[in-house]
Amino acid sequence: MKYDRLVEIAIEAREFAYAPYSKFKVGAAVLMEDDSIYSGCNIENASFGATNCAERTAIFKALSEGHKEIKAIAVIGDPNTHTYPCGICRQVMTEFAESADIPVILIKNKEDYIIKTLDEILPGSFTKKDLEK
Ligand code: THU
């Protein structure tokens, strides 16, 4: 299906997770405006607050190479369930999403993933438009 490649890349990225404290490995892959794909994993730190989530790792890699807009994002955490992105990652997705209804793909495994829209998982979001009022 349409997002199979994105899903595979997110699953692969999870292998690189650095999660010695939580032992909770996460992988992500983001599809950008030109159909390029960037992967990411969570990267923890002995100073816990310095941890970066997989989704933000992927998004920041893409942005720091000149990409501007997210078309879709896939994430895998616990392979026994569909892990949802944390609140901070949902907010970061909102800042750079092409639209409020981009797909957020929640992966259990290659054959089992569900698709939500960003607006569904972060309704009533605070955006740059709110600052213009
Ligand atoms: N984590 C992510 O990478 N993405 C999320 O959306 C949820 C949480 C990571 C952060 C930390 O390394 C571990 O999962 C446990 O919170």
Side-chain angles (χ1 to χ4, degrees):
M1 127 59 183
K2 196 176 170 190
Y3 296 113
D4 281 355
R5 185 79 195 115
L6 200 65
V7 164
E8 269 175 28
I9 292 171
I11 293 170
E12 282 167 20
R14 185 175 176 276
E15 294 305 310
F16 298 117
Y18 176 73
Y21 307 106
S22 73
K23 318 268 191 230
F24 191 81
K25 291 180 162 201
V26 186
V30 67
L31 179 70
M32 302 307 290
E33 70 285 341
D34 61 350
D35 290 332
S36 59
I37 294 176
Y38 286 80
S39 65
C41 61
N42 53 330
I43 302 170
E44 298 186 344
N45 195 284
S47 174
F48 297 168
T51 292
N52 206 58
C53 288
E55 300 91 317
R56 280 177 290 137
T57 302
I59 293 167
F60 294 156
K61 279 170 67 181
L63 294 172
S64 64
E65 293 198 18
H67 296 284
K68 306 282 183 212
E69 281 186 342
I70 302 171
K71 268 168 54 167
I73 185 159
V75 57
I76 176 165
D78 177 357
N80 296 306
T81 187
H82 298 102
T83 301
Y84 283 69
C86 82
I88 294 174
C89 289
R90 295 178 202 201
Q91 183 68 30
V92 171
M93 289 172 201
T94 298
E95 185 75 23
F96 300 104
E98 196 170 69
S99 68
D101 60 357
I102 61 155
V104 180
I105 301 147
L106 311 173
I107 309 164
K108 202 186 223 183
N109 59 56
K110 227 168 106 169
E111 282 83 39
D112 185 352
Y113 51 87
I114 57 172
I115 303 180
K116 300 281 174 185
T117 67
L118 182 53
D119 199 40
E120 274 180 301
I121 65 165
L122 189 63
S125 59
F126 182 81
T127 71
K128 52 180 169 270
K129 286 205 182 81
D130 292 296
L131 297 173
E132 287 158 11
K133 285 174 188 158

